[in-house]
Amino acid sequence: MSEAIRITRAATKKPKPKDSELGFGTVFTDHMFLADFQEEKGWYDPRIEPYGPLTLDPATAVFHYAQAVFEGLKAFRGVDGRVRLFRPQKHIERLNRSARRMCISEMDPDFALRSLVELVGLERDWVPSSVGTSLYVRPTIIATEPFLGVRPAKSYLYFVILSPVGAYYPEGMNPVKILVMEKYVRAVEGGVGAAKTGGNYAASLLPAEEAHAAGFTQVLYLDGLHRRDVEEVGTMNIMFRLGDEVVTPPLGGTILAGVTRDSALTLMREWGLAISERQIGIDEVIAAARDGSLREAWGTGTAAVISPVGELAYRGERIVIHGGRIGELTQRLYQAIVDVQYARVPDTRGWTLEV
Ligand SMILES: *Cc1c(COP(=O)(O)O)cnc(C)c1O
């Protein structure tokens, strides 16, 4: 779509919260990006409008059959004061992969990138500057056809909203306690585990609630067939340092292809570490913990970047990893990624896009 982006500016601007008061996902900027899709027209009418509610018919397909996909990425204010998106192209590729799985019409990647650059550019004053803060970017596509039949909708809405977010670790990185989940599974082969779609999140709420009630921060899911192979942690990918090897489950269609996962693997390969993207049974993790070869474990995801795992509980056994403290590789990865995001080091991999 090469159409010009129509811009309607907000008449009044909202007050911006102080960096120290920022949480996650509660405050939104003054504008949002929108574009429509109709079968006969393709994507059309790209526009930036004042942030505000959408008006939708109660019969709108997304409300009933959850035909929707989303992304989550961030813009950072570097130490040089400039604003950069972190790996936006990778997120757009994934948005399109998720869309394909959910029978949603794909977007022209150049156009989607332009939507992010234009909107974040217009809202650049909203990008906070304190250490650890960022502007969270949430592109979403929903089926908008008012129709209750079960088939792919003929109309869609793409929108992008922005939310300034606080530091994930205001008091330093805190290792999390994780419950290995046997009662529920997240995905099965042939299902939608690799798509970033709202239904996966709805399905994860009950397991997370039960884990919280039992005193855990997150859930580690096992494969849907045998409940044996490690898949991912809540909304993060998982990595283990076992002896001299770093192991992470492969992208076999049941887990999300995390951009942070890819960034971490790229860095560790550059550092000359032995990386295996392979299936890893929970039994292997437990055995490694017992014999002392499980050195570190961490989750990867846009929100926290790297989240150290301090404890795993499986079948009543509690396994403490690295004494419940952050491991060196965990710390090194976190630092290396964050340094690129805030332009503390040159971006030699083309990961950032200045807006
Ligand atoms: C978004 C997401 C991730 C992390 O992906 P990033 O691109 O690293 O943010 C991992 N698992 C699930 C289920 C997700 O939805």
Side-chain angles (χ1 to χ4, degrees):
M1 184 163 49
S2 54
E3 248 178 285
I5 297 169
R6 208 155 48 77
I7 300 178
T8 311
R9 283 176 191 269
T12 55
K13 297 232 169 136
K14 302 176 202 171
K16 295 182 181 64
K18 290 199 198 87
D19 285 8
S20 60
E21 288 164 2
L22 291 170
F24 180 83
T26 52
V27 174
F28 298 94
T29 68
D30 295 310
H31 300 89
M32 59 184 178
F33 189 100
L34 303 157
D36 294 300
F37 176 91
Q38 273 177 23
E39 213 172 46
E40 44 312 342
K41 287 175 143 170
W43 286 103
Y44 67 98
D45 196 15
R47 58 203 186 272
I48 291 174
E49 290 183 356
Y51 184 95
L54 304 172
T55 302
L56 294 167
D57 190 294
T60 299
V62 68
F63 295 145
H64 303 276
Y65 310 125
Q67 205 192 352
V69 292
F70 68 95
E71 266 306 319
L73 67 158
K74 284 175 168 178
F76 298 87
R77 190 174 297 280
V79 287
D80 55 3
R82 296 184 182 165
V83 172
R84 296 172 182 84
L85 286 160
F86 187 69
R87 308 196 73 181
Q89 297 91 341
K90 227 35 207 166
H91 285 274
I92 290 167
E93 280 169 25
R94 188 171 67 189
L95 181 69
N96 275 334
R97 283 201 305 276
S98 300
R100 235 171 281 149
R101 180 64 182 83
M102 304 310 284
C103 281
I104 292 173
S105 185
E106 288 174 49
M107 314 221 35
D108 169 8
D110 293 332
F111 167 72
L113 187 61
R114 193 151 66 93
S115 73
L116 305 184
V117 169
E118 293 283 330
L119 184 65
V120 174
L122 183 73
E123 303 285 63
R124 64 173 60 254
D125 291 349
W126 279 92
V127 184
S129 54
S130 311
V131 178
T133 63
S134 58
L135 186 70
Y136 187 77
V137 181
R138 169 54 60 87
T140 305
I141 309 176
I142 58 170
T144 51
E145 189 185 359
F147 174 64
L148 293 184
V150 179
R151 58 147 171 78
K154 293 183 175 173
S155 62
Y156 297 91
L157 174 69
Y158 167 73
F159 63 83
V160 185
I161 55 175
L162 307 176
S163 173
V165 297
Y168 200 88
Y169 296 115
E171 283 117 33
M173 275 167 120
N174 216 358
V176 291
K177 290 189 169 81
I178 288 178
L179 178 65
V180 180
M181 182 54 73
E182 282 199 283
K183 183 171 168 193
Y184 302 105
V185 298
R186 182 185 166 272
V188 290
E189 256 175 69
V192 296
K196 219 168 172 71
T197 185
N200 283 334
Y201 282 69
S204 75
L205 299 176
L206 184 60
E209 285 297 293
E210 292 187 9
H212 289 158
F216 299 94
T217 330
Q218 292 264 12
V219 171
L220 174 65
Y221 289 105
L222 302 176
D223 76 275
L225 192 56
H226 309 288
R227 306 198 186 194
R228 179 187 65 206
D229 293 329
V230 170
E231 297 247 300
E232 55 184 321
V233 173
T235 57
M236 289 186 292
N237 296 111
I238 181 105
M239 301 185 175
F240 300 96
R241 187 178 186 199
L242 297 174
D244 293 326
E245 184 192 22
V246 174
V247 182
T248 195
L251 301 178
T254 56
I255 68 169
L256 227 279
V259 175
T260 320
R261 175 187 182 278
D262 182 81
S263 304
L265 293 179
T266 301
L267 285 167
M268 290 188 292
R269 287 192 173 112
E270 286 178 14
W271 297 339
L273 299 176
I275 309 295
S276 303
E277 294 179 63
R278 64 166 172 87
Q279 285 180 343
I280 174 165
I282 188 65
D283 290 348
E284 184 182 345
V285 175
I286 303 293
R290 290 201 187 116
D291 72 19
S293 57
L294 175 58
R295 296 163 72 186
E296 302 178 47
W298 62 89
T300 65
T302 294
V305 186
I306 301 286
S307 181
V309 178
E311 197 177 306
L312 280 179
Y314 180 59
R315 295 189 173 167
E317 186 176 355
R318 299 180 84 116
I319 286 156
V320 176
I321 302 170
H322 203 269
R325 291 167 291 108
I326 306 162
E328 319 93 83
L329 183 55
T330 309
Q331 184 71 50
R332 186 180 178 200
L333 274 173
Y334 176 77
Q335 203 58 52
I337 294 173
V338 164
D339 282 347
V340 176
Q341 291 174 331
Y342 292 94
R344 288 190 206 118
V345 297
D347 172 16
T348 54
R349 301 170 198 89
W351 281 353
T352 61
L353 179 70
E354 195 174 327
V355 302

